[in-house]
Amino acid sequence: MIRAVVWKELREQGLIGLALVALGSGVLAAAAALADPPAEGARAGDVVRHLGLGLLATLMLCVTAGMVCGGAVFAAEREAGTMGFLDALPAARWRLWRAKVAAGTGLAAAQVGALLAVAAALGLVPTLGWARAAAVFAMLSFVWGVFGSTVSRTTLGAIGAAIPGALAAAVASLVPVTLVLATFAHDPAGPALRPAAAAAFLGFMLVAPLGLSAWVFTRPDRLRAADDEAADVPREARARSRPRAGGRALVWLGLRQLRGPAAALAGFALVFGLGLLARDARPVLVWPGLALAAGTLAGVTAFADEQTRGVARFWGEQRLPLGRAWAAKVGLHFLLCLALLLVLAAPAIGRAQVLDRAAVREHTALAVVFRSPLFDELGRHAWKYLLVPAVYGFAAGHLCGLLFRKLVVACGVAGIVGGAGAVAWGPSLLAGGVWAWQLWLPPALLLATARALVHPWATDRLGARGPLVRLAAGGLAAAAALGAGLAYRVLEVPDRPDAEADVAYVAALPPLDTNRGGTAFRNAVERHARVAAALAGEADGGPPPPQRRPRVEDRLSEVIVKGWPTGDAELAAWLDRVYAPDPTDEPWYATAGAAAALPVGVFEYPQLIGVAGPRDAALVGSHRMALTILARGLRAQAAGDPDAFAAAFRVAVALARTLRNGSIVAAYHAGRLVEEAALQALDRWLEALPPQAGPVRAALAPFPALGAAAAAGFDRPDLLRALIADLEPGDPTGPFDPVPHFLSERYVIREAMASPAQWLPNVLGTQDRTAPAPEAQPPEVELVSMAWAVPWERERTRRLLGLGFETGLPADPGLISGRPGAALLIRPRLPAELADVERGLRSHRRAALLKLALRAHRAELGRYPPDDGRPDPLGALVERGYLRRVPPDAFDEARGFGYRVGPPGGEAFRPPPRGLGGRATRAGDAPGAYVLPEGHAMLWCAGPARGGPGAPPPGPGAGGSLRPEDLVYLVPHGPVP
């Protein structure tokens, strides 16, 4: 039978399809020959010039073919008077519908495929994507044509019904689909309608018309089946089943009662929604009140008709199914509540659709609609903020609508009860981490209480003892659920004993008035930054240089790595100007030099660290000041004054210790960078130290004392010993303790959470720089500040801080989900990682100490200590008083550094050594190898990948091969005379 219907459809509609393809091919040929191609740079609104007449004609012909084929599927039968023939067939209408739609689909596909083939042959379809788009549009027009054909009597009428139906469905589906999906998966770099939303929209537009068409076409079969079933049931059985029926009647009754109130409330909602478009309106503040009013009115009016007319007894006297009647009325009015919220937001949604996409692509849909970046921070919890007032108002309104006959009284009481519940949850909604059961259990209990009172209400017995007990029990249960939810907010976060260890640690830091060293270094850094900024401004205001050169900061870093460039007169002049005396104040370098002689202080006090702006400006400035000091020391050495570098090195090392002392992790890393720069500069200084005094010693061999004194004037062992004295006290012998740094981090986070007004405007991007008063804050900031100040949220925040967010994300990230500024709460740093960094720094520092001691040994004795197989060849450095102890390997404290002196003829190693201050490959080195020359010294230790007790010893293996994990340090030999 299906094949017969398909054949009938092909015979009747095939000729029309051929005519349409022939006519369309002629139109496409004319467009290809006569029409202009797409104009580059044409606006998207100018459709003809933007797409080109040929591509536009292809799209229109494909849409026409799909619409005509779909519109003729059923309407052509009614026009020809053959629908009765189809009804007389011994087949269900569902099978007929499938056969007709299948035949129409085949015809439409053939026509669209032929048109696209002709257009592609003529070069009117630029890409395969445009062909797919044309096919999708044709498919949409076909399915909506099928829907129009089902409800119309003519093909033209089918097209007239399909077009407005498709437009209405598109508007009704596109807005909620885009709004919901954009909230949960926002992609700032993606298109306006992302793939997930586009797939949902297209799926709805394809399935909805087919489902409606099938439902309408098969309705006669359903009616016949219902009549046959009723005729087969005995009268007694029908009488018994009547109380179980009536669902449709109840919905119909509820809709009739809802028409008037719904229209009036929707009108008011639209007016208030338009008011939200005002420039000075704050939707994020006004919405909770409007949503509460909408929910309250929707709940109160659920039984308003029965209450005002006094027909509540009709429910009981007619023995209506109270449970289903209650569910139908409550369900319809809850849908009314949601519809009112949608009407309230409709003007704002419409406004959001016309905004520039580039201006809002970094925000979620709710943030754009309600003009508040706070919804970006709330994430998916923003829906709870929008819905909670309405749901609590609806539940309280429905219960009060049963209890009070006067609507005004019911609305007033419901507003107070529902508003109290919504206000109780408001602070928690703005603090994140609220679970669904906490929010929705209290209103669910209120609705359950209302359901338990329906029968006493219908029989006018609400004042009896039983209903009053139910009312009291339900109210107490809802209040208890609300209190339990708020209490669980606090109790779900463990209260650790060391939750406030950071407060005790910061309180034990030296007072500010005794922190002379830290304060002096900070003052020096600030003055240096001002001087450098002034010089940079003068350079920016002058004529442009003939060739762009690296910035001064970059050239200073090159000095530390490569040594002083003798030909850079501009850098030398810059240093002279930075070091120029200040007639109005103490020069910054004098302040820094005095600070180096003071006891180690604290550079970054946790109490004084803010998170509102660039908090690391002083830390970056400290590194720049250290580079300036070290570069000037290397410049002085190049000019013949090596003593100047010793003073610069002393200041840099003291600054590094001050930065690392008792402060946040960022300050520790700033100190590490400063000390590493100082150690690199030390290698450059050792490389440029005057030539070794071998010829002098040989000439004065008969007079050893005189030879040693003369050699000391070349190699300067006094300077080497002085540098060791500056560096060695800063090398601790005990294990590294990262806890103080993380406690400082926690204290900074604690202070930030206590005063969100300091940083939240920058996070939200709502900082009002034109405000007349500095204390003026955006309303979102004031709202969050008040929310976090309530007792239960303050206690929850205290416990959250005790979980140690400063060391990374805890086991349950849901505790801070939706909390504004959660990124500030989480610091992705681990104590173990910081300990690894400290081991690397200690390894570089200890290698530097050994380099200095070895050079001093060579300066005084004319040679390095021999590596003749003794268990501890570096012990000679302690015996002669250069070091207090032989520094152990920082990655395994149980063993020391390896040590080797180049044998006669040198020694080659593969791969080349790596480590801080390692020598670059020289001409003569084999590819991929390093040659340790005769008489040169080398140190090595285990690297981070092989450290730890029990690891195999590091160092060169058989065949002169180095392990890639080893850290190898080359002792700078100095210039060859």
Side-chain angles (χ1 to χ4, degrees):
M1 189 271 296
I2 293 180
R3 284 186 295 178
V5 172
V6 172
W7 173 243
K8 171 181 175 298
E9 196 72 18
L10 291 176
R11 284 190 298 114
E12 293 179 352
Q13 306 297 333
L15 186 60
I16 299 175
L18 287 175
L20 182 60
V21 171
L23 179 61
S25 299
V27 172
L28 293 176
L34 303 175
D36 295 329
E40 295 184 3
R43 295 182 297 104
D46 190 355
V47 180
V48 176
R49 298 182 67 244
H50 182 70
L51 297 180
L53 190 59
L55 181 57
L56 184 61
T58 303
L59 293 174
M60 294 180 64
L61 287 171
C62 291
V63 170
T64 301
M67 186 67 72
V68 171
C69 285
V73 170
F74 300 109
E77 301 287 353
R78 297 189 182 94
E79 282 184 303
T82 57
M83 183 60 75
F85 166 75
L86 294 178
D87 288 336
L89 292 177
R93 278 199 158 210
W94 167 243
R95 297 186 62 193
L96 289 174
W97 182 87
R98 284 188 300 167
K100 296 280 286 181
V101 171
T105 302
L107 276 172
Q111 295 177 49
V112 173
L115 290 172
L116 288 177
V118 172
L122 295 173
L124 299 178
V125 181
T127 62
L128 182 61
W130 276 109
R132 286 197 298 265
V136 170
F137 285 127
M139 189 185 310
L140 288 171
S141 61
F142 171 76
V143 297
W144 281 102
V146 170
F147 167 73
S149 178
T150 308
V151 299
S152 303
R153 293 184 175 276
T154 63
T155 303
L156 188 60
I159 297 174
I163 294 175
L167 291 176
V171 173
S173 62
L174 186 59
V175 171
V177 166
T178 305
L179 185 64
V180 173
L181 292 182
T183 302
F184 291 101
H186 175 63
D187 183 7
L193 189 64
R194 294 170 293 99
F201 171 69
L202 287 177
F204 174 80
M205 293 296 291
L206 290 172
V207 173
L210 293 177
L212 290 173
S213 174
W215 184 75
V216 172
F217 189 77
T218 58
R219 186 170 183 270
D221 284 354
R222 294 196 303 274
L223 294 177
R224 284 194 296 269
D227 292 340
D228 294 342
E229 183 180 352
D232 295 337
V233 178
R235 179 176 299 175
E236 294 80 4
R238 291 200 300 271
R240 289 194 302 269
S241 64
R242 187 173 297 132
R244 298 179 178 271
R248 294 183 180 178
L250 291 172
V251 173
W252 175 83
L253 175 61
L255 290 174
R256 282 184 60 87
Q257 293 177 328
L258 194 59
R259 286 183 301 179
L265 293 176
F268 282 108
L270 183 59
V271 171
F272 282 106
L274 292 173
L276 294 179
L277 298 180
R279 181 184 298 272
D280 297 332
R282 301 289 186 177
V284 68
L285 302 180
V286 179
W287 178 267
L290 295 177
L292 176 65
T296 300
L297 292 172
V300 167
T301 55
F303 292 97
D305 194 55
E306 288 80 3
Q307 289 282 54
T308 55
R309 298 185 182 183
V311 294
R313 292 187 178 183
F314 173 80
W315 286 46
E317 292 173 356
Q318 297 299 319
R319 306 198 175 201
L320 295 176
L322 293 180
R324 268 170 290 164
W326 175 84
K329 301 248 323 165
V330 170
L332 288 173
H333 278 260
F334 187 72
L335 292 177
L336 171 63
C337 175
L338 298 180
L340 291 177
L341 296 181
L342 185 59
V343 172
L344 270 174
I349 295 174
R351 171 189 169 276
Q353 301 304 312
V354 300
L355 294 177
D356 183 13
R357 291 290 177 186
V360 300
R361 63 172 46 189
E362 295 184 359
H363 299 285
T364 59
L366 289 181
V368 176
V369 169
F370 292 97
R371 294 183 290 165
S372 174
L374 179 61
F375 289 99
D376 293 335
E377 295 294 315
L378 296 179
R380 59 188 178 87
H381 294 273
W383 287 103
K384 299 175 182 177
Y385 179 82
L386 298 176
L387 294 178
V388 161
V391 172
Y392 273 75
F394 177 81
H398 171 55
L399 179 60
C400 292
L402 290 177
L403 299 177
F404 302 99
R405 293 185 182 276
K406 293 184 178 182
L407 295 183
V408 175
V409 177
C411 289
V413 176
I416 295 174
V417 175
V423 168
W425 279 116
S428 300
L429 292 172
L430 294 174
V434 182
W435 305 107
W437 68 266
Q438 295 173 289
L439 290 177
W440 311 128
L441 183 58
L445 290 174
L446 290 180
L447 291 177
T449 303
R451 173 62 184 88
L453 296 177
V454 169
H455 186 272
W457 168 79
T459 56
D460 200 14
R461 295 180 58 252
L462 280 178
R465 179 180 178 182
L468 291 178
V469 171
R470 297 178 195 173
L471 176 62
L476 291 176
L482 179 64
L486 294 176
Y488 185 75
R489 288 274 300 165
V490 176
L491 297 178
E492 71 172 327
V493 183
D495 188 9
R496 295 185 176 179
D498 60 344
E500 296 186 356
D502 57 305
V503 179
Y505 168 75
V506 172
L509 289 176
L512 290 173
D513 54 353
T514 62
N515 183 37
R516 297 175 55 202
T519 303
F521 266 127
R522 194 173 185 90
N523 292 337
V525 168
E526 294 173 355
R527 294 174 189 170
H528 172 270
R530 288 197 297 268
V531 172
L535 294 180
E538 294 177 8
D540 294 340
Q547 183 178 2
R548 184 175 182 84
R549 302 192 61 184
R551 298 181 308 160
V552 171
E553 290 83 354
D554 297 333
R555 281 186 274 172
L556 290 176
S557 299
E558 291 184 3
V559 171
I560 303 304
V561 175
K562 301 178 181 180
W564 178 256
T566 56
D568 196 343
E570 182 182 357
L571 181 58
W574 184 88
L575 281 176
D576 290 337
R577 298 187 66 184
V578 170
Y579 270 83
D582 187 352
T584 62
D585 198 356
E586 182 182 32
W588 63 268
Y589 49 88
T591 304
L598 295 173
V600 178
V602 179
F603 188 88
E604 284 280 11
Y605 260 93
Q607 303 97 315
L608 303 180
I609 297 176
V611 293
R615 50 180 289 189
D616 57 347
L619 301 180
V620 174
S622 64
H623 183 251
R624 292 174 179 172
M625 186 183 78
L627 293 179
T628 303
I629 294 173
L630 294 169
R632 191 168 188 271
L634 292 176
R635 179 198 175 193
Q637 182 193 26
D641 182 13
D643 300 70
F645 177 82
F649 183 80
R650 183 181 306 109
V651 174
V653 170
L655 174 60
R657 293 174 190 164
T658 304
L659 285 166
R660 297 198 309 271
N661 183 37
S663 190
I664 58 176
V665 175
Y668 169 84
H669 283 297
R672 172 183 61 84
L673 292 176
V674 169
E675 183 162 353
E676 287 181 352
L679 297 179
Q680 282 187 302
L682 178 65
D683 275 359
R684 306 291 82 77
W685 181 78
L686 288 174
E687 290 171 356
L689 206 61
Q692 62 182 16
V696 176
R697 291 180 183 275
L700 299 177
F703 311 98
L706 182 59
F714 287 87
D715 280 346
R716 299 298 303 276
D718 57 326
L719 280 181
L720 296 171
R721 287 180 179 271
L723 290 174
I724 293 174
D726 292 332
L727 187 60
E728 192 172 23
D731 184 40
T733 58
F736 173 67
D737 183 13
V739 173
H741 301 288
F742 287 100
L743 289 180
S744 298
E745 291 279 341
R746 185 190 301 180
Y747 187 87
V748 172
I749 298 173
R750 184 184 302 277
E751 293 298 305
M753 294 300 107
S755 302
Q758 296 181 1
W759 52 268
L760 191 56
N762 285 344
V763 172
L764 299 180
T766 57
Q767 182 68 49
D768 187 5
R769 303 187 183 277
T770 62
E775 62 271 11
Q777 294 290 349
E780 296 91 344
V781 176
E782 296 181 357
L783 190 65
V784 172
S785 299
M786 290 188 296
W788 291 7
V790 299
W792 58 89
E793 289 303 326
R794 189 166 60 246
E795 174 62 18
R796 176 184 169 88
T797 300
R798 185 190 69 81
R799 295 188 176 207
L800 283 173
L801 293 172
L803 296 181
F805 283 90
E806 69 277 1
T807 61
L809 197 64
D812 187 5
L815 294 175
I816 57 172
S817 175
R819 185 182 183 94
L824 295 176
L825 190 63
I826 302 172
R827 308 295 175 91
R829 304 184 181 103
L830 297 177
E833 296 176 356
L834 199 63
D836 290 338
V837 172
E838 173 66 17
R839 277 192 288 269
L841 179 61
R842 290 189 181 187
S843 178
H844 302 329
R845 183 190 304 123
R846 292 172 182 178
L849 284 171
L850 290 173
K851 293 176 188 178
L852 290 170
L854 288 170
R855 286 292 300 269
H857 188 282
R858 194 193 69 178
E860 294 183 351
L861 300 181
R863 57 180 175 78
Y864 291 120
D867 58 339
D868 50 5
R870 291 191 301 168
D872 187 11
L874 296 176
L877 303 177
V878 177
E879 295 172 1
R880 295 196 57 85
Y882 302 118
L883 298 174
R884 291 180 295 184
R885 63 165 186 154
V886 177
D889 187 341
F891 296 97
D892 185 358
E893 298 283 342
R895 60 190 177 208
F897 277 73
Y899 169 64
R900 176 166 299 188
V901 179
E907 185 176 6
F909 294 99
R910 286 183 171 82
R914 69 186 187 94
L916 185 71
R919 183 187 64 81
T921 304
R922 297 185 304 192
D925 290 345
Y930 166 71
V931 176
L932 180 65
E934 178 182 350
H936 287 225
M938 180 179 72
L939 302 163
W940 69 85
C941 68
R946 301 191 329 110
S961 61
L962 290 170
R963 299 180 179 89
E965 301 90 351
D966 293 343
L967 286 179
V968 180
Y969 301 92
L970 308 176
V971 180
H973 198 66
V976 178

